[in-house]
Amino acid sequence: MAGRSLRVRCVYAACLLGATYNHVVIVARHGLAWDYGGVGWVSAAFWTSLTFFDPLAVALLFVRPRTGVVATGIIIVTDVAHNLWIVAHFAPRGRFLASVAADPFMVSQIAFLLFVGATARLAWPPPQEAVAHGQRVGTGSAPE
């Protein structure tokens, strides 16, 4: 089980590193304060923050695996929800699904979201691995 958990977390890490690359390229070209072509400051700040949160989640997947799995889930859920909202806001009326389907980044994010949702239990490290990384593991019973 520990090997399977590590392999799944490696896939998560590879996907997050790909996203990190995209965010770093954008920041390198436009700077930290870019408005992403006129979106609101909250959206711009969110996207820029992923430049830092994505690689942090990658590190956590190996240093604090359970925290890394949770962080990966939070990042991809919020990213997809936010990006779908952006598409809904800017897509021509009646073209939401076509706009999503035509965007390879959006499709890949949704695929990653589905993959994380389907494999999170496999990615969750077994108790002995979590303890080895200094994470507390509950026994399911009340403390004495």
Side-chain angles (χ1 to χ4, degrees):
M1 182 69 159
R4 183 180 310 168
S5 170
L6 180 60
R7 287 190 299 273
V8 173
R9 286 184 281 126
C10 284
V11 173
Y12 291 1
C15 292
L16 288 168
L17 287 173
T20 298
Y21 173 79
N22 290 333
H23 295 299
V24 167
V25 167
I26 289 169
V27 168
R29 285 185 186 154
H30 302 285
L32 288 171
W34 186 47
D35 69 354
Y36 288 82
V39 301
W41 71 268
V42 173
S43 290
F46 174 74
W47 282 328
T48 299
S49 75
L50 293 175
T51 308
F52 307 99
F53 286 124
D54 286 353
L56 175 61
V58 170
L60 289 171
L61 285 166
F62 303 105
V63 176
R64 308 264 308 169
R66 290 180 176 197
T67 305
V69 171
V70 171
T72 299
I74 290 169
I75 287 168
I76 194 58
V77 166
T78 57
D79 195 18
V80 168
H82 173 265
N83 293 346
L84 286 173
W85 179 83
I86 290 289
V87 171
H89 184 72
F90 288 102
R93 187 171 181 82
R95 301 286 302 156
F96 172 74
L97 289 178
S99 296
V100 170
D103 183 344
F105 290 109
M106 194 73 243
V107 171
S108 66
Q109 289 171 351
I110 292 169
F112 183 53
L113 171 66
L114 294 172
F115 179 74
V116 170
T119 61
R121 286 188 69 157
L122 297 173
W124 196 257
Q128 64 273 20
E129 184 181 348
V131 170
H133 286 95
Q135 293 188 285
R136 293 180 49 142
V137 177
T139 61
S141 62
E144 296 178 344

